[in-house]
Amino acid sequence: MREAIRQDVFAVPEANLVPAGCWVLRKTLPTTPDTWLNTLLVTGNGTDASSSNAGDICTIHSPELFDSIEDGDVGLVNGRGSVRVILSRRANHNTVLVTERCDNRCLFCSQPPKDRNDDELLMQAAAAIISFAGNDVIGVSGGEPLLYGDAFLRFLEIVQTHAPETGLHVLSNGRAFADRYFARAVAERLESPVVFGIPLYAALAEVHDTLVGAAGAHADTVRGLINAGNAGIPIELRIIPTQKNLQELVPLLELALRCFSGLQQVSVMNLEPTGWARANWGQLYCDPSLYADQLTSMVRQAEAAGLPIALFNYPLCHLPDTLHPWAVQSISDWKNYYPDTCSGCTMRPECGGFFSSSQGQFHQSPRIIS
Amino acid sequence: MMLPFNLEPLSDSRYFISNLAGFHRVVARETLELLAEQGDGVLDAGIKQDLARGLFLADSSAGEEAGVAALASGYARRLTRDLAFRPTFMIVPTLRCDHTCRYCQVSRAALGAAHSDYDLDARRIPQVIDLIARLGTAPYKLEIQGGEPLVRFDLVQAIYDEAEARLGATDFEVVITTSLSLLDDTILDWARGRRVVFSTSVDGTEVVHNRNRILPGDNAYQRVKRGIRAIQRQLGPDRVAAVTTVTKDLLAHPEALIEASQELGLTELFVRPVSPYGFAQKSGTGTYSFDDYMAFYDRLLSLIIAHEAAGGQLLSEYSGKIHLQRVFQPDFNGYADLKSPSGFLLDCVLINYDGKVFGSDEARMLQRVNPELDLSCGTVDHFDPAANPVYHKILKESLNAVHPGCEQCAYQPFCGTDPCQGISEQGEPVGDKSRSAFCQYHKRMFSYLIDRYYRDPEARSVMESWCHA
């Protein structure tokens, strides 16, 4: 891995004595204990570490971690000597993982699914979000969060009741919304701003089903998008161009514009070389120059219909100048970097840069912007 | 398996097909025959995929269910969008006019007629703007109609001042529909710093224009030319637009229109056949067939293409543009005629000089010709469309998907209805589409434009520039 903009994992040998799980990270001892998470006091150089291990409070000494967090950030301790800061006040974007189970098997899955029961993650995530009590949007990711069904409804209720200032962005394949009663049940529980990011990769069922490795997924997701939109659920439609769906991009946008309601934004996302995408890179990754015309047409159609469209994860030098206004700096800071060649580039402040996993055969070099 | 769609023949044995969600394709006759006789299994894989992407075919029963849901959702989206109440507020400060045009589209009164009979009472203006503020939302669109509104420039000013005070200085725009014959420096100076644009009429070159647009004792064409030039020079090129009513005199000479637009520095044309309202029907000037009109339009488009190919500036044509946008641009419904339900009342609230309010410009013209009917939706101090059963009937019956003749038409998702034209021609809003001028005109326009778009790459590129400008 290249060095990312923000480090999120810290080796703290003495953390192997701390029980695994989510902890609220404190730099000073709180006067009142946290209701939702146990407190882990982090000490740095010059801090008084004497007040150790009182009640539910554990203490670890790590100047490095101490300097990287704000009071009240949330950390995940793995019980093997490392702390991962999962909700950080310094991060450009925070995400919680609520399950690793999924009913799709996407060829480019960045978080390959596991079939074991991990139900404890959902309420742990709720506690983390509530304890963190931020004002920004927190990503809720999986796996497929909606596999929880009714338990997910309770998750929404609890989080919105106890962290009303926190918005949620839920990444889902939308298949569960094919049940329109479930879509309505979710819609009825939306109070704070909640957006569902739902990917659809093709207008043609066979292409989508191949990419997501599940027969019937397209029919479910299409009906899910219709039901969710009609129920009033705000949706971000996500599209990942690959070699297998280039012919689909423009028809897919037309399908979205004509048939789906509730769309807040269309996000076209460059493939991330993580998880299964690495194994399938050769048959999936497509140089953006090969579909710049399709992107231009999509941008034009979406703009004409007044639907915001954004290009995610594209270094500016991989796009024609005419598309730069739609490219956004989208890569989370913990996995974002700029190769050395970018240091002299005048566009760098506006550029989203590269994934830190982008290297070797997975790396497409920066180019001269003519 | 097939999902439901409609079809219409184009030239050279191709067909235009469309479905309820507004997808369309142009396919060969043999493809449709194969599909009808042997099913989609025998189709070429590429054609089959292309049709499936547009929800014309589904590959499985789950796909069929999703496809039907998507078609229904697409149709619901179109209905919801076209149902939105976003009216342009038209105000008629006076019915008096200095022109005596042969086909006058709007009812008019003589310049010397009594002010009290044909002019808006200035004391009513606060009520007019009050009604607009209550019914509309920013940005408000106001259109000052006539007669010739500049006959009462004082009322135009008063309307603007009241709008500025009540609606917010930057929350509205005023279009003044005028022959420009009365435009002078006072009016230009007034318009300079204000949110005002002028919409005028140019019917061709001087000879053609003056044959129809009669300004007693003066030269209508020279007047409009002087007016357009003055606005372009003093206020900017975006502050004036012109529409062309195609008369029999222009029909044989589309080049006259290109010439006139060159002479007047106009890059956007907006041509329309003579409307069946007002005095046009009676005078006999408008009598030509829609075949003649389409032959004219065909030549006009070829002239536009040739003009551009010869290095001239691209001229766009607004009627063609809106028909194309309805087909190609999923959310486009910016033209009151091409909507279903119709734009009647939803797109227009017209406040007449006498304080009566109408759901469209056509309705007040129809009212003039049929004084025994009440086609108003109340008055400026008592707006109440629900009180007039005609309004309920017109709106209820303005969905073309259930009109006989429209329900199987492939242009139906893009077309609309004009209930007032139906009433005018056939005595009721739906009418027999085989005798409907609205149907003949719009169906021919769609068919002509689509056919040429998919057959003629040069024409296609010109049409695309119209839509993307």
Side-chain angles (χ1 to χ4, degrees):
Chain A
M1 283 291 217
R2 307 297 179 99
E3 191 171 318
I5 289 172
R6 182 179 64 84
Q7 183 186 351
D8 65 326
V9 183
F10 298 85
V12 186
E14 61 190 83
N16 62 6
L17 299 172
V18 177
C22 267
W23 295 77
V24 56
L25 308 175
R26 305 302 304 246
K27 299 171 85 165
T28 54
L29 253 184
T31 46
T32 50
D34 191 272
T35 319
W36 296 90
L37 294 177
N38 290 328
T39 300
L40 183 60
L41 184 66
V42 182
T43 59
N45 290 329
T47 342
D48 175 18
S50 59
S51 54
S52 62
N53 298 20
D56 283 337
I57 296 175
C58 290
T59 303
I60 52 173
H61 180 72
S62 167
E64 193 190 15
L65 180 58
F66 183 87
D67 289 340
S68 301
I69 59 170
E70 298 292 327
D71 212 27
D73 284 356
V74 175
L76 188 64
V77 176
N78 71 353
R80 297 187 300 276
S82 107
V83 178
R84 184 186 178 117
V85 182
I86 60 165
L87 297 178
S88 159
R89 282 175 172 73
R90 291 184 190 175
N92 61 358
H93 189 238
N94 286 303
T95 297
V96 292
L97 178 102
V98 297
T99 181
E100 291 188 288
R101 287 169 295 172
C102 189
D103 48 352
N104 280 354
R105 289 289 180 274
C106 299
L107 296 181
F108 37 69
C109 183
S110 58
Q111 185 79 39
K114 292 173 186 152
D115 269 329
R116 66 182 176 83
N117 184 311
D118 55 7
D119 285 357
E120 76 283 358
L121 289 180
L122 187 65
M123 285 308 145
Q124 189 183 77
I129 293 169
I130 295 165
S131 169
F132 188 68
N135 298 323
D136 291 334
V137 172
I138 291 183
V140 176
S141 167
E144 172 49 49
L146 297 187
L147 286 181
Y148 280 113
D150 289 352
F152 186 80
L153 300 178
R154 285 195 291 283
F155 167 83
L156 279 179
E157 287 165 3
I158 293 169
V159 169
Q160 293 186 107
T161 304
H162 298 285
E165 304 298 317
T166 304
L168 299 177
H169 182 278
V170 184
L171 260 185
S172 163
N173 63 32
R175 296 182 68 177
F177 290 142
D179 174 355
R180 68 171 183 279
Y181 298 101
F182 181 68
R184 236 176 269 166
V186 168
E188 282 163 7
R189 283 161 178 81
L190 301 187
E191 287 161 24
S192 53
V194 178
V195 175
F196 281 76
I198 299 178
L200 187 67
Y201 301 124
L204 214 52
E206 65 204 57
V207 177
H208 178 86
D209 286 358
T210 303
L211 279 168
V212 305
H218 184 264
D220 283 348
T221 297
V222 165
R223 284 166 56 223
L225 281 161
I226 291 168
N227 292 339
N230 290 347
I233 297 173
I235 298 164
E236 177 209 16
L237 185 73
R238 303 188 139 208
I239 302 171
I240 299 179
T242 67
Q243 289 172 38
K244 296 188 187 296
N245 64 345
L246 291 189
Q247 304 307 314
E248 299 296 318
L249 299 177
V250 175
L252 175 57
L253 189 74
E254 186 181 2
L255 177 70
L257 292 176
R258 291 200 186 276
C259 300
F260 302 156
S261 301
L263 296 185
Q264 312 290 302
Q265 176 172 304
V266 171
S267 305
V268 183
M269 319 185 86
N270 200 11
L271 198 61
E272 175 178 357
T274 306
W276 286 344
R278 293 173 88 83
N280 296 314
W281 194 254
Q283 56 162 326
L284 292 178
Y285 178 78
C286 189
D287 192 295
S289 65
L290 297 178
Y291 57 92
D293 287 350
Q294 282 97 316
L295 290 180
T296 301
S297 173
M298 292 170 86
V299 162
R300 192 184 265 178
Q301 282 274 319
E303 291 279 311
L307 178 65
I309 184 166
L311 308 178
F312 278 39
N313 312 343
Y314 290 95
L316 289 178
C317 58
H318 288 190
L319 292 172
D321 297 359
T322 48
L323 289 174
H324 287 185
W326 287 275
V328 292
Q329 293 177 303
S330 51
I331 304 176
S332 300
D333 47 14
W334 61 270
K335 55 180 180 180
N336 189 198
Y337 91 113
Y338 296 83
D340 295 342
T341 8
C342 298
S343 56
C345 179
T346 55
M347 303 291 283
R348 184 175 152 149
E350 292 112 78
C351 181
F354 289 76
F355 285 107
S356 47
S357 53
S358 174
Q359 51 179 311
Q361 57 168 313
F362 305 113
H363 184 58
Q364 276 63 41
S365 302
R367 293 154 203 185
I368 304 284
I369 299 177
S370 51
Chain B
M1 53 199 81
M2 255 191 283
L3 295 168
F5 60 85
N6 286 335
L7 53 109
E8 292 290 337
L10 297 172
S11 67
D12 56 40
S13 79
R14 292 167 313 145
Y15 278 73
F16 176 77
I17 64 172
S18 78
N19 57 28
L20 275 179
F23 291 91
H24 80 269
R25 294 289 187 271
V26 170
V27 294
R29 183 187 173 90
E30 62 200 41
T31 301
L32 290 180
E33 282 173 350
L34 276 176
L35 196 55
E37 286 158 16
Q38 301 179 53
D40 59 9
V42 294
L43 293 185
D44 167 84
I47 291 176
K48 203 174 151 178
Q49 290 187 337
D50 183 45
L51 291 176
R53 287 187 192 108
L55 302 177
F56 295 97
L57 298 176
D59 60 354
S60 64
S61 57
E64 187 181 22
E65 199 186 338
V68 169
L71 288 175
S73 179
Y75 181 52
R77 276 183 62 78
R78 286 203 290 114
L79 275 184
T80 311
R81 203 173 54 234
D82 286 3
L83 265 170
F85 178 61
R86 264 185 230 104
T88 294
F89 295 97
M90 295 188 183
I91 306 167
V92 182
T94 177
L95 205 57
R96 294 181 299 123
C97 184
D98 57 344
H99 281 63
T100 55
C101 301
R102 292 171 71 188
Y103 58 80
C104 182
Q105 286 196 28
V106 294
S107 333
R108 62 172 293 280
L111 199 56
H115 295 203
S116 57
D117 289 345
Y118 294 109
D119 291 4
L120 181 70
D121 182 343
R123 288 168 300 184
R124 273 203 156 121
I125 290 173
Q127 279 176 294
V128 171
I129 302 300
D130 190 56
L131 181 68
I132 293 171
R134 270 194 298 129
L135 295 180
T137 46
Y140 302 87
K141 281 180 71 182
L142 275 55
E143 188 174 317
I144 315 285
Q145 279 272 2
E148 169 50 61
L150 296 185
V151 165
R152 288 300 306 270
F153 177 57
D154 61 321
L155 292 179
V156 176
Q157 287 177 293
I159 290 167
Y160 191 97
D161 291 346
E162 188 72 23
E164 195 166 42
R166 285 292 315 277
L167 306 178
T170 57
D171 286 341
F172 70 100
E173 186 193 67
V174 174
V175 176
I176 300 176
T177 304
T178 165
S179 71
L180 296 178
S181 57
L182 299 173
L183 186 80
D184 59 17
D185 286 342
T186 312
I187 298 172
L188 283 165
D189 286 343
W190 172 81
R192 185 164 291 114
R194 293 183 165 79
R195 307 169 71 82
V196 169
V197 297
F198 295 89
S199 170
T200 191
S201 296
V202 174
D203 286 356
T205 47
E206 183 159 358
V207 174
V208 177
H209 186 88
N210 286 344
R211 197 170 294 160
N212 296 288
R213 304 243 166 209
I214 296 157
L215 185 57
D218 207 332
N219 182 326
Y221 183 81
Q222 287 304 328
R223 284 279 179 179
V224 75
K225 178 179 168 185
R226 201 180 309 157
I228 290 172
R229 283 304 195 191
I231 295 167
Q232 288 167 335
R233 207 171 39 242
Q234 298 193 36
L235 307 180
D238 297 337
R239 301 284 289 274
V240 61
V243 299
T244 298
T245 305
V246 179
T247 57
K248 208 167 182 181
D249 299 317
L250 183 63
L251 213 56
H253 300 289
E255 70 282 357
L257 198 52
I258 308 275
E259 252 174 67
S261 68
Q262 291 303 102
E263 191 180 16
L264 300 171
L266 297 168
T267 57
E268 183 167 90
L269 309 175
F270 183 3
V271 305
R272 300 179 302 187
V274 168
S275 107
Y277 296 99
F279 300 135
Q281 276 173 317
K282 295 178 187 168
S283 67
T285 26
T287 50
Y288 52 78
S289 73
F290 281 107
D291 285 341
D292 292 341
Y293 182 80
M294 292 315 299
F296 160 83
Y297 196 86
D298 180 49
R299 288 180 58 201
L300 180 67
L301 179 55
S302 296
L303 289 168
I304 289 173
I305 295 166
H307 179 78
E308 197 209 7
Q313 196 180 1
L314 175 75
L315 301 171
S316 69
E317 197 289 299
Y318 188 72
S319 284
K321 172 180 162 172
I322 53 182
H323 284 86
L324 290 163
Q325 281 180 308
R326 277 292 275 180
V327 176
F328 289 98
Q329 198 174 303
D331 272 324
F332 178 78
N333 71 341
Y335 192 64
D337 281 1
L338 296 179
K339 286 182 65 193
S340 169
S342 88
F344 182 75
L345 190 63
L346 300 174
D347 280 38
C348 175
V349 171
L350 180 139
I351 300 148
N352 212 5
Y353 66 93
D354 57 4
K356 283 195 173 170
V357 182
F358 294 92
S360 72
D361 202 13
E362 291 76 10
R364 63 122 174 182
M365 295 180 208
L366 211 51
Q367 180 74 84
R368 275 279 279 179
V369 190
N370 301 280
E372 73 285 1
L373 297 175
D374 178 15
L375 292 165
S376 76
C377 50
T379 59
V380 68
D381 49 359
H382 188 71
F383 172 78
D384 189 6
N388 186 348
V390 170
Y391 274 70
H392 185 246
K393 182 174 170 63
I394 287 180
L395 284 169
K396 186 168 64 111
E397 296 190 352
S398 76
L399 289 158
N400 69 0
V402 292
H403 282 194
C406 297
E407 91 281 26
Q408 292 191 335
C409 176
Y411 301 111
Q412 178 224 107
F414 318 109
C415 197
T417 55
D418 185 346
C420 290
Q421 197 170 333
I423 295 171
S424 164
E425 283 176 348
Q426 305 188 27
E428 57 104 9
V430 178
D432 173 350
K433 301 296 175 184
S434 70
R435 296 193 294 124
S436 150
F438 180 92
C439 175
Q440 293 195 45
Y441 169 57
H442 290 294
K443 192 162 183 168
R444 276 178 169 79
M445 279 297 280
F446 280 121
S447 168
Y448 169 77
L449 291 163
I450 293 286
D451 188 73
R452 195 143 181 201
Y453 181 93
Y454 283 106
R455 196 167 41 79
D456 174 355
E458 263 185 314
R460 177 178 182 148
S461 113
V462 164
M463 291 182 199
E464 280 172 349
S465 345
W466 291 356
C467 293
H468 297 141

